[in-house]
């Protein structure tokens, strides 16, 4: 599953980086525009869309790297058997929440598309376009939870941070 999922995580992370650069450009254009009395309507909205896109597109890679909050203090104090059960339970609950978030965001894109919902800002962008990055990021997040659960079931380590810590300890 690593060969299938890891390139997806990297691609989504690259898109998140592009989104952050787009946010930077939008903000800088707004600052420059104010200095020279040049008004570009909707720049604030585009900066917001870009930041939201970066946040959601980076979710799977951040999860794989172990950057999300994990309760390792609790996990370290448990016996191996209890820890395994606790990890399965946490991953299962996370999988359910990620599945709901994925469904909700995909449904939001669909409803916005069907209803021809547009941004109330000056840009009047169809809302399904920026919402699409949220749905794609949530789908990647769901894939990451499935990947983590399958890796746990196969006795493999999913989180990259755990590998890095183990190598530093050696």
């Amino acid at each position: 599953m690593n060969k299938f999922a890891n390139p997806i995580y990297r691609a989504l992370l690259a898109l998140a980086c592009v989104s952050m650069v787009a946010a930077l450009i939008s903000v800088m254009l707004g600052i420059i525009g104010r200095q020279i009395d040049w008004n570009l309507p909707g720049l604030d909205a585009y900066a917001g869309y870009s930041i939201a896109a970066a946040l959601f597109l980076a979710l799977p890679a951040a999860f794989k790297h172990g950057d999300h909050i994990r309760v390792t203090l609790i996990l370290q104090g448990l016996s191996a058997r209890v820890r395994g059960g606790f990890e399965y339970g946490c991953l299962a609950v996370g999988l359910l929440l990620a599945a709901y978030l994925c469904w909700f965001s995909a449904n939001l894109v669909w409803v916005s598309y069907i209803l021809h919902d547009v941004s109330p800002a000056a840009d009047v962008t169809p809302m399904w376009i920026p919402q699409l990055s949220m749905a794609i990021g949530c789908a990647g997040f769901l894939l990451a939870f499935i990947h983590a659960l399958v890796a746990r079931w196969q006795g493999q380590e999913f989180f990259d941070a755990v590998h890095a810590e183990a190598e530093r300890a050696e």
Side-chain angles (χ1 to χ4, degrees), residues 7-165:
I8 293 173
Y9 305 149
R10 283 192 295 276
L12 291 176
L13 189 58
L15 287 174
C17 291
V18 169
S19 296
M20 284 305 295
V21 170
L24 173 69
I25 291 170
S26 295
V27 170
M28 295 211 33
L29 280 175
I31 292 169
I32 292 169
R34 280 192 291 277
Q35 297 299 316
I36 61 173
D37 290 330
W38 180 45
N39 183 28
L40 288 173
L43 276 179
D44 292 341
Y46 289 129
Y49 302 150
S50 298
I51 291 169
L55 179 127
F56 282 99
L57 293 171
L59 280 175
F63 183 64
K64 174 81 169 130
H65 193 261
D67 290 335
H68 290 277
I69 297 172
R70 293 182 61 205
V71 191
T72 53
L73 275 170
I74 294 173
L75 291 175
Q76 291 171 353
L78 299 175
S79 67
R81 182 181 173 140
V82 174
R83 178 183 176 158
F86 192 74
E87 285 181 352
Y88 274 120
C90 289
L91 287 173
V93 169
L95 176 70
L96 291 175
L97 290 172
Y100 175 73
L101 186 61
C102 184
W103 172 84
F104 177 82
S105 60
N107 190 50
L108 184 66
V109 170
W110 179 248
V111 169
S112 292
Y113 179 77
I114 294 297
L115 297 177
H116 304 288
D117 189 18
V118 295
S119 170
D123 63 323
V124 194
T125 300
M127 288 307 294
W128 68 269
I129 296 171
Q131 290 169 349
L132 195 57
S133 63
M134 176 181 164
I136 292 169
C138 290
F141 197 45
L142 176 61
L143 174 64
F145 267 101
I146 293 169
H147 187 185
L149 204 52
V150 168
R152 180 74 181 102
W153 181 61
Q154 293 175 341
Q156 300 170 350
E157 188 57 53
F158 170 76
F159 298 101
D160 290 340
V162 174
H163 291 300
E165 289 175 20

